[in-house]
């Protein structure tokens, strides 16, 4: 009797459906169906789980010849993954080369060996950009070589790659192109104020929108709730929350430093929450490619507007915030029409049960967001109060480098969030979470 016939018979003897057996083995029902139809064979680890579940030995499930062939295939796959891991580590370690005196530089009649930080700014920027790409490709290579989790691996690898490309390109453009622009066109005090305005807006956004954008992603991906009702509910909560927040304008005006730029705070919050709402909806529809394209377009718009507003028209703080706000607004329009989200927005689809469920999910997340904000950004306010706005500008600029490292983690976390939400059964989510956390 072939393996597929044995598995089918064993399952029926226990009175289990394919779905029930899949849950017991922490795999998808499609995997069990493929095994029973003879279109595929489980790997060694899955065979061990099957044998243990049915109280059999692996030899009783699979013939020695097939078992040997399967083990040989897995061994080759493990070697390939090991090679990918080693290449990834080598690419990551290449970043150390920028600190070594391996690059030639003429000085008079002599040529000296120097590190790239001794080059002029233009050449140094090109080298840093190339080494950053090499480092990030190594990081992604290491992640992909380690992600071997049943069907979740395919999801997270594809999503990580797509989201990673968009995030890497946008962040590199921000750090490589915009940081020198900011340092040349803004004083340290202006840059410090800009950081306070942006981080104040980031703190207020979950409070204004009640964290509903996270619920849009969660309920949009569960496959059980009408996506039109989810998006419409999210939009309604955002609008109502912002209108209520407008009533607190006199209070915001009284806050030191921030009060002078209250209108910019409101503009930033409105455009950013709207952009995040539609972006999360697109992500919930598994349209990661559109999301990535929009990220790249948004970053390009920010770069162009920053050059115009800061370098050409010298608009200072207003130009900085206005560039970001207009970029967010443009991205929202692109997502609405390219993703055809306008077809989902129907206020007659608002349902009290869905609204309550989404708010029960999102509101408890607000303290979590606030506490993370306190951990990450409250020191900006302390530096401003205890030292000066100029000192905060220098302090915030110094954070750009560690933010690049955080970005790598963020790529993985975004994909992890989308992948774990796509697992339908509770047991699949538990298995997926356990495996990813162990690797992380």
């Amino acid at each position: 009797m072939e393996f597929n016939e044995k598995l089918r018979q064993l399952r029926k003897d226990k009175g289990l459906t394919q779905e029930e057996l899949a849950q017991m083995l922490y795999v998808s029902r499609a995997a069990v169906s493929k095994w029973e139809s003879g279109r595929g064979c489980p790997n060694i680890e899955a065979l061990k789980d099957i044998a243990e579940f049915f109280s059999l030995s692996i030899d009783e499930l699979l013939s020695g010849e097939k078992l040997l062939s399967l083990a040989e295939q897995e061994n080759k796959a493990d070697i390939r993954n090991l090679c990918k891991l080693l290449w990834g580590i080598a690419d990551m370690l290449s970043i150390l080369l920028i600190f070594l005196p391996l690059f030639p530089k003429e000085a008079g009649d002599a040529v000296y060996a120097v590190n790239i930080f001794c080059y002029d700014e233009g050449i140094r920027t090109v080298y840093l950009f190339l080494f950053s790409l090499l480092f990030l490709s190594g990081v992604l290579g290491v992640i992909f070589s380690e992600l071997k989790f049943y069907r979740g691996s395919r999801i997270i690898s594809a999503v990580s790659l797509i989201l990673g490309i968009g995030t890497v390109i946008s962040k590199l453009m921000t750090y490589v192109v915009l940081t020198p622009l900011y340092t040349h066109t803004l004083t340290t005090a202006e840059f410090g104020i800009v950081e306070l305005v942006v981080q104040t807006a980031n703190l207020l956004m979950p409070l204004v929108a009640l964290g509903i954008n996270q619920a849009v992603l969660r309920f949009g991906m569960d496959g059980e709730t009408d996506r039109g009702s989810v998006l419409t509910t999210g939009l309604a909560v955002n609008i109502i929350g912002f209108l209520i927040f407008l009533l607190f304008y006199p209070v915001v005006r009284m806050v030191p430093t921030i009060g002078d730029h209250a209108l910019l705070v409101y503009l930033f919050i409105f455009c950013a929450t709207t952009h995040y709402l539609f972006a999360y909806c697109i992500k919930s529809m598994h349209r990661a490619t559109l999301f990535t394209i929009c990220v790249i377009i948004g970053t390009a718009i920010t770069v162009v507007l920053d050059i115009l507003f800061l370098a050409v028209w010298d608009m200072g703080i207003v130009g900085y915030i206005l560039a970001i706000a207009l970029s967010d607004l443009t991205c929202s329009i692109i997502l609405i029409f390219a993703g055809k989200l306008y077809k989902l927005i129907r206020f007659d689809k608002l349902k009290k049960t869905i609204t309550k469920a989404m708010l029960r999910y999102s509101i408890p997340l607000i303290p979590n967001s606030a506490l993370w904000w306190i951990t990450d950004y409250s020191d900006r306010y302390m530096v401003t109060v205890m030292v000066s706005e100029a000192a905060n500008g220098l302090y915030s600029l110094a954070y750009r480098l560690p933010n690049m490292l955080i970005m790598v983690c963020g790529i993985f976390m975004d994909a992890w969030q989308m992948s774990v939400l796509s697992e339908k059964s509770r047991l699949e989510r538990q298995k997926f979470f356990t495996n990813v956390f162990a690797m992380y």
Side-chain angles (χ1 to χ4, degrees):
M1 186 181 294
E2 295 296 325
F3 169 76
N4 62 310
E5 297 172 339
K6 289 180 184 177
L7 181 61
R8 189 184 309 115
Q9 188 61 48
L10 289 168
R11 175 179 61 80
K12 290 181 178 179
D13 289 345
K14 278 192 172 281
L16 299 172
T17 64
Q18 288 185 344
E19 179 69 30
E20 291 170 338
L21 179 59
Q23 291 185 2
M24 297 293 182
L25 298 175
Y26 299 107
V27 296
S28 65
R29 190 201 63 78
V32 175
S33 176
K34 184 172 70 174
W35 298 340
E36 291 190 355
S37 64
R39 292 182 288 109
C41 188
N43 57 30
I44 297 296
E45 291 300 319
L47 277 174
K48 290 179 181 178
D49 292 338
I50 294 170
E52 182 179 353
F53 179 75
F54 290 111
S55 301
L56 299 171
S57 67
I58 295 182
D59 292 336
E60 293 178 273
L61 289 174
L62 209 61
S63 66
E65 183 179 342
K66 288 189 175 180
L67 187 60
L68 186 63
S69 175
L70 182 62
E72 185 178 351
Q73 291 175 8
E74 288 208 8
N75 186 50
K76 290 180 180 179
D78 288 340
I79 292 175
R80 285 196 298 271
N81 279 324
L82 179 60
C83 290
K84 291 178 182 178
L85 176 63
L86 293 175
W87 279 115
I89 293 174
D91 287 342
M92 291 170 63
L93 292 176
S94 66
I95 197 71
L96 299 176
L97 296 177
I98 66 176
F99 301 103
L100 300 178
L102 301 175
F103 305 88
K105 184 176 182 180
E106 291 186 12
D109 296 330
V111 177
Y112 296 93
V114 298
N115 62 38
I116 65 172
F117 295 101
C118 295
Y119 282 167
D120 296 334
E121 183 176 353
I123 299 176
R124 183 170 67 245
T125 300
V126 172
Y127 272 114
L128 288 174
F129 178 78
L130 294 175
F131 275 106
S132 297
L133 283 180
L134 190 59
F135 175 79
L136 290 171
S137 69
V139 171
L140 292 175
V142 170
I143 292 175
F144 293 165
S145 69
E146 292 295 322
L147 290 175
K148 293 184 63 181
F149 315 127
Y150 56 109
R151 71 187 181 92
S153 64
R154 295 193 295 274
I155 297 173
I156 199 169
S157 294
V159 173
S160 289
L161 183 60
I162 295 173
L163 294 179
I165 289 172
T167 304
V168 169
I169 291 176
S170 64
K171 293 298 182 182
L172 282 177
M173 287 178 69
T174 299
Y175 292 134
V176 174
V177 178
L178 294 183
T179 299
L181 176 66
Y182 295 153
T183 56
H184 280 79
T185 57
L186 297 174
T187 65
T188 52
E190 286 177 329
F191 193 79
I193 294 173
V194 158
E195 279 293 308
L196 291 181
V197 171
V198 171
Q199 297 312 328
T200 300
N202 287 334
L203 171 65
L204 293 173
M205 279 193 291
L207 301 174
V208 172
L210 297 179
I212 199 68
N213 294 341
Q214 291 287 342
V216 169
L217 178 63
R218 163 66 180 83
F219 284 82
M221 292 189 70
D222 65 5
E224 300 173 0
T225 311
D226 178 64
R227 193 170 280 127
S229 297
V230 171
L231 177 58
T232 305
T233 299
L235 182 59
V237 172
N238 271 280
I239 292 173
I240 295 171
F242 187 77
L243 291 176
I244 294 174
F245 182 50
L246 283 175
L247 301 177
F248 291 87
Y249 180 77
V251 178
V252 177
R253 286 280 300 166
M254 296 170 61
V255 178
T257 305
I258 301 300
D260 296 334
H261 307 282
L263 286 176
L264 295 178
V265 173
Y266 274 82
L267 178 64
F268 187 99
I269 290 175
F270 175 78
C271 294
T273 52
T274 304
H275 178 203
Y276 291 155
L277 170 67
F278 295 124
Y280 282 161
C281 185
I282 287 295
K283 287 171 73 174
S284 73
M285 297 166 68
H286 302 284
R287 301 186 64 178
T289 303
L290 175 59
F291 175 83
T292 299
I293 292 172
C294 194
V295 168
I296 296 173
I297 292 174
T299 303
I301 292 173
T302 303
V303 171
V304 172
L305 292 180
D306 270 331
I307 293 173
L308 288 175
F309 293 162
L310 299 179
V312 179
W313 295 330
D314 194 22
M315 295 174 63
I317 297 172
V318 175
Y320 183 105
I321 301 299
L322 193 59
I324 298 174
L326 291 177
S327 174
D328 281 335
L329 194 60
T330 304
C331 287
S332 297
I333 295 172
I334 292 172
L335 293 173
I336 289 172
F337 289 98
K340 298 182 179 179
L341 298 182
Y342 59 87
K343 294 183 178 180
L344 299 177
I345 302 173
R346 295 290 184 273
F347 286 97
D348 58 345
K349 290 185 177 182
L350 285 173
K351 298 178 181 178
K352 185 181 294 186
T353 54
I354 294 177
T355 302
K356 285 184 176 180
M358 290 177 67
L359 290 175
R360 279 200 301 268
Y361 175 83
S362 65
I363 290 177
L365 297 177
I366 296 176
N368 178 66
S369 299
L371 291 173
W372 273 112
W373 181 92
I374 291 172
T375 301
D376 293 337
Y377 300 110
S378 60
D379 49 358
R380 308 289 207 282
Y381 294 81
M382 297 178 188
V383 172
T384 300
V385 173
M386 297 178 183
V387 188
S388 66
E389 294 167 350
N392 180 52
L394 293 173
Y395 182 70
S396 300
L397 191 62
Y399 252 87
R400 295 271 166 153
L401 181 58
N403 280 341
M404 293 185 68
L405 303 178
I406 295 172
M407 172 191 68
V408 176
C409 180
I411 295 170
F412 178 74
M413 299 302 289
D414 284 344
W416 183 7
Q417 182 185 37
M418 291 180 66
S419 300
V420 75
L421 287 175
S422 67
E423 304 300 336
K424 298 301 181 185
S425 73
R426 180 176 60 86
L427 291 174
E428 282 183 336
R429 284 196 294 268
Q430 289 176 345
K431 179 75 171 180
F432 184 80
F433 183 85
T434 301
N435 286 339
V436 174
F437 184 76
M439 189 276 291
Y440 182 74

